[in-house]
Amino acid sequence: MTEQTQRWTEIEHLPEWDEEFYHIYTAKKFGKWVMIKTLRPEYADNPRYQAMIEQEFDVRYSLAHPNIVMINDFEEIPGIGRCIVTDDVYGDSLRKLIDRKEITPHHINQLRHQLVNALEYIQSKHIVHQPLKPENIIFTENIANLKLIDVGFEQRPSLSHQSTADDIYNYGRVLTEALDAAGSDDATLRRVARKCTDPDPKKRFRDMQQVHLALENRGNRSFYLFIIAFLVLMLLLVIWLKTPYAPTPVTIGSQGFLSNTLLFSKCLSTFTL
């Protein structure tokens, strides 16, 4: 038995996982389950697509995020060709779960948190990727952990506004479809999904950070609450200064200004604590 035969065993094509230019397989490498992707036969001998798969490996090899499938190697596999080797993420795609009406609160929670974190990470690395869709969102077999596949093929100095806007719009579509399949009426998620996909682009979120804040029920509301709290504090301070318990007035001047300033600071600190 040759070393290559020992290295690769139980290779199985997964047609439902295939991507536009790639075939996807599951296999064991030295007894450990991994996933492999290689160019479809019609593209395998084309220098353009050979350069494309090499570039994808170079771009994705440095990515490190718990909700993005990790790339381990790029090597020749007998009978298949040059392949990108990734961690094993065997499980069900969001598309399959939607079609089978098997979306649970756990899946929705992962879309609410892990998916947004992964998209923010990809954007922070300026990675151009295929449009987000249920087919490239995988929930692993044993613990249903969310993993993004097909997440990038080019890294740029910066992303265009259109690229980030597309992520927001597609996230809204994915979230809406999952909520519909789950029969969920979660008001916050529905509101976020509608804003992501508003027919008027000007009314959508500006970036994924805004989406993240909205999902956590934070954002501008925190600022307004701070203003209201500050005004209430000032009102209470004015009322207190008119009571018998107010401090004795001091001489107006630098000392008086300093004393009043220190008094106000102390009150503000007490309120904050």
Side-chain angles (χ1 to χ4, degrees), residues 228-241:
I228 292 171
F230 177 77
L231 293 175
V232 170
L233 173 63
M234 294 300 295
L235 178 60
L236 292 175
L237 182 60
V238 170
I239 295 173
W240 178 59
L241 290 174

Side-chain angles (χ1 to χ4, degrees), residues 119-190:
L119 289 172
E120 282 188 297
Y121 177 80
I122 293 170
Q123 290 187 359
S124 73
K125 298 295 183 180
H126 305 151
I127 304 295
V128 179
H129 59 91
Q130 298 294 343
L132 180 70
K133 54 186 177 181
E135 286 77 5
N136 54 26
I137 301 169
I138 303 298
F139 291 93
T140 56
E141 188 172 33
N142 294 323
I143 59 175
N145 187 34
L146 184 148
K147 294 282 187 177
L148 271 181
I149 62 174
D150 197 17
V151 297
F153 54 87
E154 183 180 355
Q155 190 168 31
R156 297 178 178 173
S158 63
L159 289 180
S160 68
H161 171 72
Q162 189 60 50
S163 292
T164 56
D166 287 346
D167 277 348
I168 292 169
Y169 179 78
N170 290 327
Y171 175 76
R173 292 185 60 183
V174 166
L175 185 58
T176 298
E177 195 169 357
L179 290 170
D180 288 344
S184 174
D185 294 322
D186 186 296
T188 297
L189 297 182
R190 288 288 183 180

